Amino acid sequence: MDEKEPYVPYIPTPRDFPGFTMPSSVPQGMRLELSRSRIKDGQDENFGAWMETLNNRYEECEASLSAQRTVLEATFRHVEADGSVWIYHLSLVGENGSGLDTRQDIDATHKAASRQAKMPGWEELEPKFLLMPDHLRASMVHWAEHGQVPK
């Protein structure tokens, strides 16, 4: 670490944190979350392999979205000024989603890679606004409630 650059601390949100109150622009029954975690020192290559696995097994990941009631997921990598590497995870999910099901191979692989590459826990960022066209909003709300495409 360069002495001129400040150290960026990692302070995970407590596991019992109930989540932030959603802004009025987030549809009822849905959660908009942006979380970040620090990649463990020396694990950036494993983080890259983890993301490559998810990209290469996209169809398996997509098949797990229905039970999870996940409308959208996106993952980003960021290097801070102090050289630390961070993962940012954006999701829009139905409140009644199941989360990862480690009985499915892709979810078990995902969880194991997460444990290897990143620090435990997440720092949660507070959502303030969500915007989308009405036709997408209606479809997303239906997916979040039912885990299927509207008929």
Side-chain angles (χ1 to χ4, degrees), residues 27-40:
Q28 188 74 23
M30 296 177 77
R31 298 207 51 80
L32 177 63
E33 297 176 341
L34 178 58
S35 311
R36 77 177 199 156
S37 184
R38 192 176 188 129
I39 298 300
K40 294 176 184 175

Side-chain angles (χ1 to χ4, degrees), residues 38-44 84-85 117 119:
R38 192 176 188 129
I39 298 300
K40 294 176 184 175
D41 290 341
Q43 291 295 310
D44 194 31
S84 60
V85 181
M119 301 291 285

Side-chain angles (χ1 to χ4, degrees), residues 10-59:
Y10 174 55
I11 306 168
T13 303
R15 288 188 183 265
D16 61 352
F17 176 64
F20 290 105
T21 299
M22 292 293 105
S24 61
S25 55
V26 174
Q28 188 74 23
M30 296 177 77
R31 298 207 51 80
L32 177 63
E33 297 176 341
L34 178 58
S35 311
R36 77 177 199 156
S37 184
R38 192 176 188 129
I39 298 300
K40 294 176 184 175
D41 290 341
Q43 291 295 310
D44 194 31
E45 189 172 309
N46 286 331
F47 171 65
W50 170 24
M51 292 298 109
E52 184 176 345
T53 296
L54 296 179
N55 277 287
N56 290 341
R57 296 174 66 182
Y58 185 88
E59 291 79 17

Side-chain angles (χ1 to χ4, degrees), residues 8 10 18 22 51 55 69 79 109 116 125 129 137 139 145:
V8 178
Y10 174 55
M22 292 293 105
M51 292 298 109
N55 277 287
R69 300 298 192 263
V79 179
T109 299
Q116 179 180 1
L125 286 74
F129 179 69
R137 182 184 194 92
S139 182
E145 290 176 0

Side-chain angles (χ1 to χ4, degrees), residues 93-108:
V93 298
E95 290 180 340
N96 296 322
S98 66
L100 290 178
D101 179 358
T102 55
R103 294 173 296 181
Q104 294 184 38
D105 184 59
I106 189 61
D107 286 356

Side-chain angles (χ1 to χ4, degrees), residues 75-146:
T75 302
F76 300 83
R77 177 184 174 273
H78 176 70
V79 179
E80 287 284 352
D82 70 353
S84 60
V85 181
W86 294 75
I87 176 178
Y88 283 75
H89 184 74
L90 172 67
S91 63
L92 180 62
V93 298
E95 290 180 340
N96 296 322
S98 66
L100 290 178
D101 179 358
T102 55
R103 294 173 296 181
Q104 294 184 38
D105 184 59
I106 189 61
D107 286 356
T109 299
H110 181 43
K111 188 171 187 173
S114 170
R115 284 189 171 146
Q116 179 180 1
K118 74 173 211 55
M119 301 291 285
W122 294 94
E123 291 180 350
E124 300 296 336
L125 286 74
E126 185 178 4
K128 300 309 268 180
F129 179 69
L130 176 66
L131 179 64
M132 67 184 88
D134 284 342
H135 69 286
L136 293 178
R137 182 184 194 92
S139 182
M140 290 178 172
V141 166
H142 188 276
W143 182 270
E145 290 176 0
H146 307 287

